[in-house]
Amino acid sequence: MKYKDLIKKMTLEEKASLMSGKDFWQTMDIERLGVNSIFLADGPHGIRKQAEAADHLGLNESLPATCFPTAATVANSWNTELGEKIGQYLGEEAVAQKVNVLLGPGINMKRDPLCGRNFEYFSEDPHHAGKMAAAYIRGIQSHGISACVKHFAVNNQEERRMSIDTIVDERTLREIYLTAFEIAVKEGNTKTVMSSYNMLNGAYTNENIHLMREILRDEWNYDGVVVTDWGGSNDRVAGLIAGNELEMPTTAGETNKEIVEAIRNNKIQEKFLDEAVDRLLDLVFNTEEVFKNPQKDFDVKEHHRVAQQVAEESIVLLKNEGNILPLKKDKKVAVIGDFAKQARYQGAGSSIVNPTILDNTLDCLEESELTNVGFEPGFERYGKKSKKKIEQACALAKKADVVLLYIGLDEATEAEGLDRQNMKIPQNQIDLIDTLYEVNPNIVAILSCGSAVEMPWIGKVKGLLHGYLSGQAGAKAMLRVMTGEVNPSGKLAETYPIRYEDTPAYHQFPGKEVSVEYREAMYIGYRYYDTANVNVLFPFGYGLSYTTFEYSDIEVNKDGVTFTIKNNGSVAGMETAQLYVGSKSEDIFRPNKELKGFVKVFLQPGESKSVTISFDERTFRYFNVKTNKWEVETADYNIMIGTSSADIRLEASIFVEGTGAVLPYDQDKLVSYYAGKPNKVGKEEFENLLGRKVPVSTWDRTKRLGYNDTIAQCQYAKGAFARFAFKLIKFSHWFLRKIGKRETANLIMMSVYHMPFRGMSRMTGGVINMSMLDGILMIVNGQFFKGIKHFLKERKKMLKVAKDIN
Ligand code: BGC
């Protein structure tokens, strides 16, 4: 232990006090020993430091900070150097705002396009997400503070995120859901990891010994801090045993007492606490050094320019029929779509940033050389039908050579705490496209949203630029791509299926009441489409440029693959070449190809470059559930270089001598997986893969409700009051949606409906303690008067203790 002497000077109570927050954002201090509080703040694409009222859903204002493009956007740049640069700028702002731990990046896998937080995550591929995340972390931590990679792990949906039990087989867990974290820990050297809200195979991740001790600490040698997601602690002592150093936010000392009692009653050894204190102290001392230097403000304009540069490199050109783009300067353009006036530039929830500056297309257009014939919103942002708006848009479109159509998803659709209900853009936007197409087919659509959408309307637009959620400077970036000042180089980091029904987890998302079964196993994203031969709209890794690239001269040896890329066009451009690897052996089922490396090169017209992508210890490995280790299969491997996952330009093969491990599977029992058709796996076959029975996936409606049951379960509670409260919540949600208050309605779902009862205590900073919660549960379970009495008695006790302390 590093701080053994200091820890010896602490009382048991002092040590335990460090194990949970002092308030919503700060850790506890021990003044007499010179241990200061440190400040933790969101988030992944800009600092959300709340100076006044605090919350974890982005409801109250935060200090102005640069709103960079979200992770889903920057992922499209496939540029780790750029990721590191954003990290550096984020880190600089964090230091300027006295933030010690920046709560990001978020790197959960995009298992399903409907996950409400996909806009905050990088990719459907672990290698890609891991490399981008490691770059962000290096950048952030170069300032002497800490990043916090989140949410560890398998937090791939928002629905019931605080209670859902994720059932996933060990190999899929390792290969898909943990690999990005492994890269973030080993290559990014993150100093902090945030555990997720959900359960993994029957235990909350924060208490999951296999995840937290055996994998994170013992295998990956992680010696940093684990913080709970806000309000995500279930059993504090179990969390400590699994290696959690910090519960956030404060519980006003309630859970610290539980730790003290557990040690006094010999339920756990004090050494667990000492080790956790040691690691927490390291974080505190490590991240406060930088604040000893004089602080300076960051350069708002320069940071805005960087946000623009990042957005420019992340925009994806998806369609360019008849080379409608880039726009010639003499073209008359009509700007249509509400998003041109009020940019859709970030998602909702804890990642929300209060931007320093906010560009919008209409203002930026005035500075460009395009001739603008006017602007019409064309549709109501929140989806209401308006025939008049369509007519006005069509009248304007007739006057222009090209229609610039700004469409996408609104702010209430992509939000933390909720999943999307479908993959469509609002019908009123589709109606607009259909009608505009009749009057002027020269349409360039500019899409703003943070996740994949269906595009049945794609045939009606000639150009399609996807800006994702491009941050505060995204509007200008988009115009520069449109006019050709910037040659687009973004490529999708997730697949765009044709229809939601085509997705691999379609039958298993978001699971049932208690659990979600990952029956598709490792076949998520392109791993599935490519192996199961399912046509997609746009494949993973896809994106066009204003120039074309030619690939040649592939050479493979044991260290890596070398090839040449040439810019064949007349403008300079950047190309991302992707290395995919597939095994030719059929003994162990696996996807046809998996991303194992990528490189982005800048090329002048006519220029060619020879590039090398090195193999590493992850290139040929698979996780063997029999040996419980990473192994390499002895086989011939396809080495594929693609411009996307579906467009392989060069191929070679290499023989690799493996580790000779026993084969892990009985093929006859895993027929769908071996056939590469894992989208409709039955329960029995999934159990064969898991090696055990799946738990019952629905609520037990006969039992008393407890701490970890959700408010939604009040619908069948024994207490009439609870059933009434449930109806009231349902009605309020319905009513708020009906009157168009979707954001407030969402809030009910996010912060009440799916919350476990435990959250009432964990989220309220000590206003309701667990003993008071017992009273509430009595009411819920039909003991109305007894419950009220208990609640009031416990409240009185708590107030007395608080008074005595003060
Ligand atoms: C989110 C985290 C976030 C935390 C603090 C939680 O609701 O899941 O990502 O860092 O709140 O705002």
Side-chain angles (χ1 to χ4, degrees), residues 410-623:
D410 61 59
E411 286 77 358
T413 303
E414 289 175 291
E416 176 176 338
L418 293 169
D419 294 322
R420 282 189 296 158
Q421 297 304 303
N422 56 55
M423 281 184 66
K424 301 180 196 320
I425 61 168
Q427 188 55 42
N428 64 352
Q429 295 185 27
I430 300 178
D431 293 343
L432 174 68
I433 299 173
D434 289 344
T435 330
L436 278 177
Y437 177 71
E438 299 300 324
V439 300
N440 187 345
N442 292 322
I443 301 173
V444 173
I446 296 99
L447 192 58
S448 300
C449 54
S451 39
V453 290
E454 289 169 358
M455 300 182 193
W457 39 265
I458 186 103
K460 296 196 172 150
V461 301
K462 285 194 176 158
L464 176 60
L465 280 164
H466 199 341
Y468 268 74
L469 300 179
S470 49
Q472 64 180 50
K476 179 96 175 268
M478 185 55 84
L479 283 169
R480 278 170 48 86
V481 169
M482 248 185 256
T483 54
E485 283 165 87
V486 170
N487 186 356
S489 64
K491 294 194 178 214
L492 296 174
E494 63 188 316
T495 309
Y496 277 56
I498 296 172
R499 308 167 315 150
Y500 180 55
E501 290 81 345
D502 296 340
T503 59
Y506 176 71
H507 298 286
Q508 301 295 333
F509 181 92
K512 300 229 172 79
E513 292 161 344
V514 173
S515 61
V516 52
E517 294 171 8
Y518 284 24
R519 293 195 191 181
E520 73 290 349
M522 74 277 290
Y523 295 97
I524 67 164
Y526 70 89
R527 282 173 168 76
Y528 167 68
Y529 303 110
D530 199 61
T531 311
N533 264 322
V534 176
N535 285 338
V536 299
L537 182 62
F538 296 117
F540 175 79
Y542 177 82
L544 301 169
S545 160
Y546 296 148
T547 185
T548 51
F549 300 96
E550 189 187 304
Y551 287 68
S552 63
D553 306 329
I554 186 166
E555 266 176 43
V556 182
N557 63 32
K558 65 174 190 11
D559 300 319
V561 51
T562 302
F563 51 97
T564 303
I565 311 179
K566 182 174 180 207
N567 180 349
N568 267 344
S570 54
V571 287
M574 283 189 271
E575 168 72 339
T576 299
Q578 302 150 38
L579 161 67
Y580 296 91
V581 174
S583 162
K584 291 190 187 177
S585 154
E586 286 175 2
D587 289 344
I588 299 167
F589 67 85
R590 47 170 114 196
N592 276 353
K593 54 169 90 92
E594 297 184 89
L595 184 80
K596 296 291 174 173
F598 55 91
V599 60
K600 191 164 188 177
V601 281
F602 175 82
L603 294 167
Q604 294 292 352
E607 191 186 2
S608 45
K609 265 185 197 156
S610 167
V611 291
T612 298
I613 303 179
S614 304
F615 299 150
D616 62 24
E617 76 280 6
R618 288 183 295 273
T619 308
F620 301 103
R621 74 177 190 179
Y622 75 97
F623 194 83

Side-chain angles (χ1 to χ4, degrees), residues 50-239:
Q50 292 182 314
E52 286 161 21
D55 69 84
H56 69 293
L57 291 173
L59 308 175
N60 297 296
E61 265 227 342
S62 51
L63 301 174
T66 311
C67 179
F68 291 95
T70 74
T73 316
V74 186
N76 299 329
S77 75
W78 292 67
N79 185 343
T80 50
E81 277 168 30
L82 194 70
E84 191 158 337
K85 185 166 173 180
I86 302 173
Q88 281 160 2
Y89 278 75
L90 284 169
E92 189 189 334
E93 293 194 24
V95 171
Q97 295 201 6
K98 295 211 166 58
V99 168
N100 307 63
V101 180
L102 191 58
L103 302 173
I107 61 170
N108 296 90
M109 287 294 102
K110 301 187 193 202
R111 171 180 182 242
D112 190 283
L114 298 188
C115 169
R117 256 180 127 171
N118 275 356
F119 72 88
E120 266 187 78
Y121 302 143
F122 289 104
S123 182
E124 67 187 23
D125 180 87
H127 177 88
H128 181 278
K131 290 286 175 181
M132 290 304 292
Y136 268 60
I137 296 166
R138 284 194 296 271
I140 294 168
Q141 297 192 163
S142 67
H143 288 272
I145 58 162
S146 170
C148 174
V149 66
K150 63 189 187 184
H151 309 86
F152 190 59
V154 282
N155 178 188
N156 311 103
Q157 65 191 61
E158 291 298 286
E159 182 97 1
R160 294 188 285 280
R161 65 176 173 164
M162 294 188 77
S163 60
I164 198 89
D165 188 3
T166 306
I167 309 299
V168 58
D169 69 282
E170 186 69 18
R171 177 172 167 212
T172 302
L173 175 69
R174 303 296 196 114
E175 292 185 10
I176 302 296
Y177 295 101
L178 298 188
T179 293
F181 285 99
E182 184 187 351
I183 299 173
V185 166
K186 290 184 180 168
E187 295 179 16
N189 285 319
T190 187
K191 294 176 189 165
T192 310
V193 169
M194 185 189 289
S195 55
S196 56
Y197 284 130
N198 52 288
M199 290 179 155
L200 163 62
N201 291 330
Y204 280 99
T205 58
N206 192 55
E207 297 161 18
N208 196 309
I209 298 286
H210 180 51
L211 182 69
M212 292 297 182
R213 285 241 171 232
E214 294 171 0
I215 298 178
L216 179 67
R217 304 280 184 192
D218 300 344
E219 275 184 36
W220 300 350
N221 293 322
Y222 177 66
D223 61 0
V225 161
V226 174
V227 57
T228 63
D229 199 345
W230 265 235
S233 172
N234 167 49
D235 178 331
R236 183 62 192 96
V237 174

